[in-house]
């Protein structure tokens, strides 16, 4: 994070005055940003596209090509993702409507520039996070309706286990449902990454738990990257699952816990995070 409060990012600077461009780049680099200075000319748009910056800082007084043409070209190639901040000397209303913000070039305060850049980058980071969450939710929505009980409960549980594990880049997934008569959470076949014999044996008793054991009703999801050493988990369950890292998430309907979704063993470093 830089002093203005936004994330350090890659910024492309386009200005008809090469010295002015270097001065702007110096301010941004001092604040921790990576900067590419784009040389004016017929290939401005292509240079910006090749750089694929998080933010474009450009002068409204550019003539060859004009600023409006540059903005259209960048938007067509890169979409709405790069933020565009335009510096103006006279009338800010001359700025193309596709830009995100305008700032008076003279006099230009370094602090004001960094504040504007930081705000745009924070907005962009929030937008990217929202897009990622939306994509994940669309995946869950697809999973929930496409694999209905019309295919049978086993097909549904198998798909939930597989899709959840793949979405988190994990090797294993499993659905456990509460059995009121046995007072146990019982693994549902087929699971993902588990043998049929393992799934048949996996049980999680809800009675007689020590106070140190995790209470899913009160505490919600449990994340453990050293499951075999975690006293919050039932040792028998961990031994049967044979996992290193483990995340257990309650499957709920209102206040009632219907079961648990287990996702285990991340592919890359084996570690789950709070974001997962």
């Amino acid at each position: 994070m830089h002093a203005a409060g936004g994330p350090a990012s890659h910024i492309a600077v386009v200005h008809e005055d090469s010295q002015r461009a270097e001065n702007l780049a110096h301010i941004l680099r001092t604040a921790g940003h990576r900067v590419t200075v784009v040389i004016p000319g017929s290939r401005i748009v292509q240079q910006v596209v090749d750089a694929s910056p998080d933010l474009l800082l450009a002068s409204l007084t550019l003539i060859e090509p004009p600023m409006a043409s540059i903005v259209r070209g960048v938007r067509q190639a890169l979409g709405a993702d790069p933020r565009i901040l335009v510096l103006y000397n006279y009338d800010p209303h001359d700025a193309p409507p596709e830009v995100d913000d305008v700032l008076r070039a003279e006099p230009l305060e370094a602090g004001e520039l960094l504040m504007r850049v930081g705000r745009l980058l924070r907005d962009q980071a929030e937008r990217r996070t929202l897009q990622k969450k939306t994509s994940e939710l669309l995946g869950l929505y697809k999973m929930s309706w496409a694999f209905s009980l019309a295919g049978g409960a086993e097909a549904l549980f198998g798909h939930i286990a597989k899709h959840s594990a793949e979405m988190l880049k994990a090797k294993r997934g499993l659905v456990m449902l509460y059995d009121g008569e046995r007072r146990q959470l019982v693994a549902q076949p087929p699971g993902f990454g588990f043998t049929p014999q393992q799934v048949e044996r996996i049980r999680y008793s809800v009675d007689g738990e020590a106070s140190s054991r995790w209470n899913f009703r009160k505490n919600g999801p449990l994340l453990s990257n050293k499951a075999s050493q975690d006293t919050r988990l039932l040792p028998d369950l961990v031994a049967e699952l044979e996992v290193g890292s483990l995340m257990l998430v309650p499957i709920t309907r209102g206040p009632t816990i219907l079961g648990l979704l287990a996702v285990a063993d991340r592919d890359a470093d084996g570690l789950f995070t709070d974001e997962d």
Side-chain angles (χ1 to χ4, degrees), residues 177-197:
L177 294 184
Y178 178 63
D179 184 327
E181 293 184 3
R182 301 180 187 178
R183 293 193 58 79
Q184 290 180 328
L185 289 161
V186 180
Q188 304 299 304
F192 175 70
F194 294 99
T195 67
Q197 293 76 20

Side-chain angles (χ1 to χ4, degrees), residues 27-59:
I27 294 172
L28 296 167
R29 288 181 180 126
T30 300
H33 297 291
R34 180 164 64 92
V35 181
T36 297
V37 175
V38 176
I39 300 173
S42 59
R43 295 191 67 257
I44 284 182
V45 172
Q46 190 58 53
Q47 289 183 72
V48 173
V49 171
D50 291 343
S52 189
D54 299 300
L55 183 143
L56 171 62
L57 175 62
S59 170

